[in-house]
Amino acid sequence: MENVYLAIDKKLFLHLVETAKIILRLYSLSPSLSLSLSLLNNMKRRRCIHLLFFLCVLVAISSFSSSFTFPEEEEEERKSRNNHQFEELKERFGSSSSNSNNNNKSNLVFYTIGDWGVRGSGVDGGENFQGSAQIAVAQQMKLLAEFVPPVFVATLGDNFYGAGVGSVEDRQWDYKYEQVYLKNNSSIRSTRWFASLGDHDHCGNVQSQIDYHSSKNYLWHLGHAKMPYYHKEFRIGDNISTTDAMQLIVIDWVGLEGILAGKEKRRFEDQLGEFASAEAGEEQFNWLKRVLDRGHGKYRWRVVTAHRPIISASLRFANDNIAYPGESSTREVLRVLLENSDVDVYINGHDHTAQHACTQRDDFDGKNKLTHYITNGIGGYELHHLADNEKRPIETLEAKNTFHGFAMHSVTKDKFDTVFIGHDGKVEMELSFNKMQQHCN
């Protein structure tokens, strides 16, 4: 509130100055008024001047009060605009979404957020962002959830900047996670979170992010034992058939890099621990191949969430491939594996942009198989630059770096919709594709 009062004082002062100038100018231009004052004695002249000043203050306050809008009022106006937009999203994707033949819910809704745990740090939103980007994004998540509640929230890594958490008692759990998203009667206070790890998380105590589920908050999920990777399945709407379900596979990119990077240089390699070792990477890679093989043809949609991108239009993407060849090697192996394992959607963070890319290939049965790549690393950390259009991967369909935010995903039996919501509640970007689609665009 202190900043609010300062803002009011500055505006009121400026109004007083401008009004005083006008009254003094009228006084100087009015010979009769000047003559009348000159004939008065000093006492009466001072009283007249005081009266003029008092009138000046009244005029300024009146003008100021009619033109000034309190931040609370501006916030209500903004919420009203957002509510209208979120009402439209509710009509399209909310609990009232139904098949044309019955009233059963026909879709699965979940949110994703990446690169978000920055509250209180110098990189929260970047130097041009007023306030906390993480909190602004969280407010929009909670507001949208009142209209289109998610079944779960999936994180895309870098949950806690700048070096993960130290233990399950680390105050960052409360300051950057629970206070921001779950407390104060939050509309997502009982929503499950399915997390993945980022490179910054690997610089801290990885085990504590696994153990937080059992020791502190059951809503937080990040594997079990020594395995920060896992898979889940979700029914799509009210369908009970597993063939109409969505499989979510959460992988630990930095862990996989332990085996796929070989001896090549890796990011933060001097800070990585046992979870990023070659042994851990090999164990996870074997697990991933088993999961992909066993689920082949079983699910309607297969979605993989991870931290780093496989395809990206960010300016740093090409530079990272050179600076950290271990990342490039991991991308190449993962892309081949996922695209040949019926994976429909790969969602990642790391690059602080919003992007959509798509690949298509012949499945040797007269049809094209598509894989969509969605980048969503805009949960709080300052944004990254994009490469010039001519330097972007040919698979890129759309890319933006003008807003912080999160993504809402709606999955039906035949369609996958994604809506990017900005930190101010605006719909910033939308993408939609069909299960039977044969071409990327």
Side-chain angles (χ1 to χ4, degrees):
M1 284 300 295
E2 185 175 332
N3 290 334
V4 173
Y5 292 133
L6 285 174
I8 293 175
D9 289 344
K10 289 178 182 177
K11 287 192 175 186
L12 180 57
F13 175 75
L14 291 175
H15 275 279
L16 286 171
V17 170
E18 292 303 317
T19 307
K21 286 180 180 179
I22 293 172
I23 292 177
L24 290 174
R25 182 169 177 77
L26 289 173
Y27 166 69
S28 64
L29 294 176
S30 174
S32 58
L33 180 61
S34 301
L35 179 61
S36 299
L37 283 176
S38 64
L39 295 175
L40 298 174
N41 59 36
N42 289 339
M43 180 68 70
K44 291 182 178 180
R45 187 184 300 122
R46 281 198 298 270
R47 289 177 179 174
C48 287
I49 292 174
H50 289 162
L51 178 61
L52 285 173
F53 178 75
F54 178 69
L55 290 174
C56 165
V57 172
L58 287 179
V59 171
I61 292 177
S62 175
S63 169
F64 167 76
S65 62
S66 63
S67 63
F68 179 74
T69 303
F70 282 88
E72 291 83 355
E73 296 173 353
E74 293 178 346
E75 177 71 9
E76 288 303 316
E77 290 179 9
R78 183 181 60 79
K79 281 185 178 180
S80 178
R81 291 194 300 270
N82 293 352
N83 287 357
H84 177 71
Q85 201 162 29
F86 291 168
E87 284 280 6
E88 293 180 352
L89 292 177
K90 179 181 179 180
E91 287 296 315
R92 295 166 59 191
F93 307 115
S95 58
S96 60
S97 298
S98 62
N99 294 319
S100 58
N101 299 327
N102 56 54
N103 293 321
N104 294 331
K105 183 176 178 182
S106 62
N107 66 330
L108 165 70
V109 172
F110 67 98
Y111 297 171
T112 57
I113 184 170
D115 303 81
W116 49 277
V118 294
R119 183 186 180 195
S121 66
V123 295
D124 186 352
E127 59 182 13
N128 295 321
F129 193 93
Q130 299 298 314
S132 167
Q134 182 186 352
I135 291 177
V137 171
Q139 288 174 338
Q140 298 307 324
M141 286 179 65
K142 292 181 285 189
L143 182 58
L144 178 60
E146 296 175 9
F147 296 85
V148 191
V151 173
F152 64 90
V153 176
T155 83
L156 306 171
D158 282 357
N159 307 315
F160 299 97
Y161 285 94
V165 290
S167 70
V168 294
E169 302 294 341
D170 194 316
R171 68 182 299 268
Q172 291 184 88
W173 284 108
D174 185 57
Y175 188 68
K176 295 180 179 179
Y177 172 53
E178 303 218 4
Q179 280 187 26
V180 178
Y181 303 99
L182 306 184
K183 293 186 177 179
N184 299 320
N185 203 31
S186 165
S187 54
I188 54 174
R189 62 187 179 279
S190 59
T191 302
R192 292 174 295 172
W193 286 58
F194 294 109
S196 63
L197 292 170
D199 36 59
H200 286 273
D201 298 310
H202 266 277
C203 294
N205 187 332
V206 170
Q207 190 64 54
S208 66
Q209 291 207 40
I210 298 173
D211 295 342
Y212 196 73
H213 168 79
S214 58
S215 63
K216 292 293 181 178
N217 192 328
Y218 72 96
L219 295 175
W220 177 270
H221 299 258
L222 210 166
H224 65 280
K226 294 284 185 180
M227 300 169 57
Y229 45 89
Y230 52 101
H231 65 100
K232 301 284 183 180
E233 66 178 51
F234 302 90
R235 293 187 303 175
I236 296 175
D238 292 327
N239 296 312
I240 60 174
S241 171
T242 57
T243 56
D244 288 337
M246 185 192 86
Q247 183 185 34
L248 175 70
I249 304 173
V250 181
I251 62 176
D252 173 17
W253 174 289
V254 179
L256 280 175
E257 191 183 71
I259 188 65
L260 300 181
K263 299 295 184 181
E264 294 178 307
K265 185 177 181 181
R266 304 169 63 189
R267 189 188 305 264
F268 299 145
E269 58 187 6
D270 59 337
Q271 300 179 56
L272 302 178
E274 61 175 323
F275 288 91
S277 66
E279 293 76 17
E282 183 175 17
E283 183 177 345
Q284 183 185 175
F285 192 52
N286 291 333
W287 167 88
L288 178 59
K289 289 187 289 185
R290 288 195 305 271
V291 169
L292 291 172
D293 183 60
R294 292 173 182 173
H296 182 76
K298 182 180 177 182
Y299 300 98
R300 186 65 175 175
W301 294 92
R302 305 188 87 179
V303 177
V304 174
T305 57
H307 181 58
R308 292 195 185 135
I310 292 177
I311 300 172
S312 177
S314 294
L315 183 61
R316 78 174 193 169
F317 184 73
N319 297 332
D320 286 350
N321 285 337
I322 297 172
Y324 306 105
E327 294 183 16
S328 180
S329 299
T330 304
R331 288 189 183 102
E332 292 173 4
V333 174
L334 275 180
R335 177 171 175 175
V336 172
L337 176 63
L338 299 180
E339 290 184 0
N340 286 284
S341 302
D342 295 332
V343 170
D344 300 285
V345 187
Y346 177 87
I347 311 175
N348 63 272
H350 189 64
D351 286 356
H352 306 161
T353 56
Q355 300 182 44
H356 178 208
C358 177
T359 62
Q360 63 185 56
R361 62 203 172 280
D362 189 347
D363 68 355
F364 305 107
D365 190 27
K367 298 178 181 179
N368 288 328
K369 180 68 177 70
L370 307 185
T371 302
H372 294 266
Y373 295 88
I374 300 173
T375 294
N376 175 15
I378 51 177
Y381 199 106
E382 59 185 341
L383 302 174
H384 288 155
H385 295 289
L386 292 169
D388 295 334
N389 287 333
E390 64 274 10
K391 295 182 179 179
R392 297 177 185 179
I394 59 173
E395 300 91 349
T396 301
L397 298 178
E398 189 171 7
K400 289 187 176 182
N401 68 337
T402 55
F403 61 96
H404 292 86
F406 67 102
M408 181 204 74
H409 309 274
S410 172
V411 187
T412 67
K413 179 180 177 181
D414 298 314
K415 195 177 180 184
F416 194 107
D417 289 283
T418 295
V419 180
F420 280 94
I421 307 295
H423 58 268
D424 56 359
K426 294 179 182 177
V427 173
E428 295 283 358
M429 181 172 154
E430 289 193 59
L431 54 108
S432 179
F433 42 87
N434 194 286
K435 179 66 179 180
M436 306 308 293
Q437 197 169 314
Q438 292 288 295
H439 301 283
C440 286
N441 52 16

